Amino acid sequence: MTAGVRYSCLLLLCLTALDQSHTAQNCIDKHHIVTVIRQMEKFLKGQETRFAEGLRIMKSKLAALQNTVSKFPPADQHTVTCPTLEAPQHGRKFGSKHFLGHEVHFTCNSGYHLVGPGTRVCQENGSWSGVNTVCKDISECSSNPCQNGGSCVEGVNQYKCVCPQNWSGSHCQHQTQTAPPEWSVMNDPAFSRKPRCAKVDRTQQCSCDAGFHMSGTSDNSICQDVNECEVYKLDRAARLCVHACVNIPGSYRCSCPSGYKLLGDGRSCEDIDECLTSQHNCTRGTTCINTGGGFHCVSPECPKSHGNVSYVKTSSFQCERNPCPMDSRLCHLAPKTVSFHYLSLPSNLKTPVTLFRMATAAAPGRPGPDSLRFGIVGGNSKGHFVMQRSDRQTGELILVQALEGMQDIEVEVDMSEYLERTFQAKHVAKVTVFVSPYEF
């Protein structure tokens, strides 16, 4: 029995005794009675507080449970899915999800062009948007590559020229009776040597130094330079130089284009970073971007103000939207941030390859989005890219068709954030790709 209960019982007995007898000597005095009453008040108040806290916690848990259950789809509601799409013949497919709102992208192999939509979306009725996509063969002979009356014969992703009489070469560009050996340097004294000759068993034997070959008759022979650059020009697997081969007497050397330097192996080229080595002429207010063989001076500008939408530049490559009026729906739908990105690529880069990633992050103390949507919304990319989700909070910009330089390509991608299917914010990234004219 607790102290409070004992005091309560004692108080009750004393009050009963006082009522029967007006004598207080056999019971506790008035001071003890007041003390017991105050202890009882504290005890009851503590019990009341704990009971109220228990009710509050129980109500909070019931509300959370009800909120969770309300988000479940009805028992009779089925998840919308679309049938599996196959990659077109001579093409590729990107995207493996077949649920409502998901996208599938298509591209064609080299030598074929896309007929039909490059992107199809799973719709609410369980079907894909658009029509079936096919890849059709690009005619190799459409550019009339054969010269001097040659006939073009189509092959699988290639062609062959059938040349008329007295003409030869891959494009019928050489006259048979006049064309000298492509690998031999003629009529240039600097590329000729006298052979080394010696009599062996009464027979004269002649030879040439490395890098030369014997030409002429046995009585009047000469060593002519072998043009190694021409010998290996058509054999890409045994290519002597990554860029240009320069023939020299008895040998060769490799050279690199402007903006590149020759590496220690004597055949490979490496880009010179003009921005890092301060070999650029970018003025104040612009930023130097290194590219293959050169550089660009850039100074991206924020979108122009319109209506209640305006932007402020927070860094060299990012703009942020100023706070919107509460009643301006147009302002809230405008991009919250606009960022600028610059990439340098070699020509004919092997695809597919991921170039750029876009992700979201929640502010401290605030819930992040539970759904993201990515897309390509602008630029002059002409179907070279697709934008797809790589995980729950990241999207990837993927190059799916090789780019041939020299050219500059712009692609604008966006990321929309949703919380409980309600639009929250949109972010735009403007990506500029500088494609080098070289494959290194």
Side-chain angles (χ1 to χ4, degrees), residues 16-329:
T16 304
L18 286 172
D19 184 57
Q20 295 176 356
S21 174
H22 298 287
T23 310
Q25 288 81 3
N26 296 330
C27 196
I28 60 177
D29 57 20
K30 180 180 179 181
H31 175 73
H32 285 137
I33 294 174
V34 172
T35 301
V36 171
I37 293 174
R38 288 178 177 173
Q39 288 180 348
M40 284 300 297
E41 289 176 344
K42 291 181 179 179
F43 174 76
L44 293 174
K45 188 174 182 180
Q47 293 295 324
E48 182 181 5
T49 302
R50 283 191 288 272
F51 182 73
E53 179 66 15
L55 283 178
R56 188 190 65 79
I57 294 174
M58 182 64 71
K59 287 181 179 179
S60 176
K61 289 184 177 180
L62 287 174
L65 180 62
Q66 183 178 8
N67 186 42
T68 302
V69 172
S70 66
K71 293 181 180 179
F72 292 162
D76 58 348
Q77 180 177 334
H78 300 285
T79 303
V80 177
T81 60
C82 292
T84 302
L85 290 176
E86 299 296 333
Q89 188 177 8
H90 308 298
R92 287 176 290 182
K93 180 189 75 170
F94 298 89
S96 58
K97 300 292 181 65
H98 306 129
F99 298 109
L100 176 64
H102 280 83
E103 297 179 349
V104 173
H105 310 276
F106 303 97
T107 63
C108 293
N109 299 334
S110 177
Y112 296 85
H113 69 278
L114 196 67
V115 177
T119 299
R120 300 183 70 182
V121 182
C122 182
Q123 304 177 114
E124 292 184 352
N125 60 3
S127 67
W128 293 96
S129 63
V131 296
N132 288 337
T133 300
V134 296
C135 294
K136 289 194 174 181
D137 183 30
I138 299 174
S139 174
E140 299 289 344
C141 291
S142 59
S143 61
N144 300 318
C146 303
Q147 305 172 21
N148 301 305
S151 300
C152 185
V153 179
E154 293 277 3
V156 179
N157 293 332
Q158 61 180 349
Y159 67 90
K160 184 176 181 180
C161 291
V162 179
C163 301
Q165 189 175 4
N166 299 331
W167 292 94
S168 64
S170 59
H171 298 91
C172 305
Q173 71 273 33
H174 297 309
Q175 282 188 285
T176 305
Q177 70 273 25
T178 60
E182 293 183 349
W183 48 266
S184 179
V185 179
M186 307 291 289
N187 303 321
D188 189 339
F191 289 83
S192 301
R193 299 282 190 275
K194 287 184 178 182
R196 296 192 305 267
C197 298
K199 284 190 177 183
V200 179
D201 296 333
R202 300 180 181 180
T203 303
Q204 182 166 289
Q205 302 286 340
C206 297
S207 64
C208 295
D209 294 333
F212 292 84
H213 73 100
M214 192 76 70
S215 177
T217 64
S218 58
D219 296 330
N220 187 21
S221 59
I222 190 171
C223 294
Q224 298 285 356
D225 175 64
V226 175
N227 189 336
E228 296 86 355
C229 301
E230 287 294 332
V231 171
Y232 292 97
K233 181 172 66 174
L234 300 179
D235 188 354
R236 296 187 65 88
R239 196 172 177 181
L240 297 178
C241 302
V242 169
H243 178 56
C245 180
V246 180
N247 187 53
I248 57 177
S251 185
Y252 70 95
R253 64 177 176 84
C254 298
S255 68
C256 296
S258 175
Y260 292 83
K261 61 182 179 182
L262 192 65
L263 293 181
D265 62 3
R267 64 180 300 270
S268 303
C269 298
E270 183 181 69
D271 174 55
I272 298 172
D273 191 336
E274 293 84 358
C275 301
L276 183 63
T277 57
S278 298
Q279 300 180 41
H280 62 86
N281 57 358
C282 295
T283 59
R284 170 169 286 191
T286 64
T287 303
C288 180
I289 302 295
N290 184 60
T291 61
F295 63 92
H296 280 72
C297 302
V298 301
S299 179
E301 296 182 356
C302 296
K304 294 182 179 179
S305 301
H306 60 280
N308 292 322
V309 183
S310 62
Y311 291 85
V312 61
K313 204 167 188 180
T314 55
S315 71
S316 298
F317 300 112
Q318 180 155 316
C319 301
E320 293 188 10
R321 189 188 67 207
N322 287 313
C324 293
M326 293 299 295
D327 58 348
S328 177
R329 175 176 172 78

